[in-house]
Amino acid sequence: MPSLQSYSTFGLSVSCDSIESFTDVPSFLSLYNSIENRADSAVYILGGGSNSIFTEDFNGKILVNEIKGISHFDTETHHYLRVGAGENWHDFVTLCMKEKWYGFENLALIPGSVGASPIQNIGAYGREVNALIDNVECVFLETGEQVLLSNTDCQFGYRDSVFKHALANKVLITHVNFKLPKQYALETSYGELAALTEPTPEKVYSKVIEIRKSKLPDPSELGNAGSFFKNPVVRHSVYQAIADEYNSVPHFVVAQSADFSDTEQSQIKIPAAWLIDQAGFKGKTLNKVRCHPTQPLVLTNLGGATGSDVITMAKDIIASVQDQFGIKLEPEVRLLGSKGLISL
Ligand SMILES: Cc1cc2nc3c(=O)[nH]c(=O)nc-3n(C[C@H](O)[C@H](O)[C@H](O)COP(=O)(O)OP(=O)(O)OC[C@H]3O[C@@H](n4cnc5c(N)ncnc54)[C@H](O)[C@@H]3O)c2cc1C
């Protein structure tokens, strides 16, 4: 039974039936079609494993995407990039900076593969990847049919897309096609980026890396899967009830009602990190899992953690935040049990 420990950045010591990689669509289809009793077997496509936590031995096959290749052309107004799903995200962003194909600077240093980026519509520091995606090339697992999904077809939302719903476990993403406008406004509204003097894409890229290194644990040193929970988006009345009790609740209006006076129709995002901190978990350790002291949204593996340690800590956080604020946190990470994805 091969170990999955080095295939997931959280690094739990678990195993699976087999791990195989593929570098193109024919080799993927041949691996996939050779799996007997597919209907009854667990099969999991893996990129960099930075959003997947295997909480116990996985009774199935892991197929690791290593489809590489980056091609580029430009027009008077845009850069177009076709990128293999198995390319490393941060290496790709760094290449784009060198080539002056700007737009990705806020998304520097996010671990994982290019192919996973549309799945949860990765985002950071005020920018989400969907703003730069032209379309996504996929293959249907069962039929081998290749399809091109437009940006609209992908149904992007906050850490969400069609790949988590109608197309979950149905397609392999083979390439992502990006379209970068040559004229665009830098996104510097976020906290420390707003303090940059005469911002350039290079300054934003460097600052984002600096902020991330100062706040987030490096998975190569301390196992983690980034933000464990999504930031909840609530109705205005829910936010207001919390604001009445707590001074200066951080929040962002994500959707305003058409009638600006009707605040109840507004959607407010409250940072999950603040809720978790208020619930007393910042820096707290339970068995071998710690709620990170500088970013409580991240749970870390102190070494030798088990899946049940992770689940216990996550459930404790969810229950405490729900008790205190009436808000149910949802995991942003993909949690896997012995047969596939599980929910808390
Ligand atoms: C330290 C740290 C910081 C992070 N910061 C951020 C952040 O700022 N913003 C953010 O949005 N995320 C962040 N993340 C989460 C993570 O980096 C992203 O979700 C990333 O896109 C995951 O890529 P991956 O290749 O590692 O995905 P994996 O964990 O390998 O896979 C994730 C999911 O996608 C599926 N999948 C992967 N590749 C394919 C494919 N080619 N075709 C079909 N399905 C596929 C898998 O089956 C799985 O369900 C962070 C993670 C860490 C560890």
Side-chain angles (χ1 to χ4, degrees), residues 194-233:
L196 285 172
T197 46
E198 297 179 23
T200 61
E202 286 78 9
K203 282 189 189 174
V204 173
Y205 169 82
S206 301
K207 191 71 189 173
V208 165
I209 291 177
E210 185 189 318
I211 302 169
R212 294 184 73 97
K213 283 190 170 166
S214 72
K215 292 202 175 137
L216 292 170
D218 178 349
S220 66
E221 291 164 10
L222 191 59
N224 75 89
S227 302
F228 199 95
F229 299 101
K230 292 189 208 175
N231 291 314
V233 177

Side-chain angles (χ1 to χ4, degrees), residues 7 9-10 22 44-53 65 67 85-86 89 106-125 159 163 169 171-174 212 216-219 224-227 298 332-334 336 341:
Y7 286 87
T9 59
F10 205 89
F22 55 91
Y44 194 70
I45 296 168
L46 199 63
S50 62
N51 196 225
S52 303
I53 302 181
N65 186 343
I67 299 176
W89 176 262
N106 299 54
L107 303 175
L109 216 61
I110 297 180
S113 60
V114 168
S117 66
I119 293 178
Q120 73 151 357
N121 184 19
I122 58 169
Y125 305 100
R159 297 294 182 275
F163 304 106
N169 302 321
V171 295
L172 165 76
I173 293 174
T174 64
R212 294 184 73 97
L216 292 170
D218 178 349
N224 75 89
S227 302
V298 176
E332 180 175 314
V333 292
R334 300 294 187 102
L336 290 116
L341 291 168

Side-chain angles (χ1 to χ4, degrees), residues 125 190 192 210-218 222 224 273-274 276-277 281-284 290-300:
Y125 305 100
Y190 184 90
E192 292 164 66
E210 185 189 318
I211 302 169
R212 294 184 73 97
K213 283 190 170 166
S214 72
K215 292 202 175 137
L216 292 170
D218 178 349
L222 191 59
N224 75 89
W274 183 84
I276 295 168
D277 185 6
F281 281 87
K282 188 172 172 174
K284 192 170 169 181
R290 177 184 286 168
C291 182
H292 197 61
T294 54
Q295 174 43 284
L297 198 46
V298 176
L299 301 186
T300 61

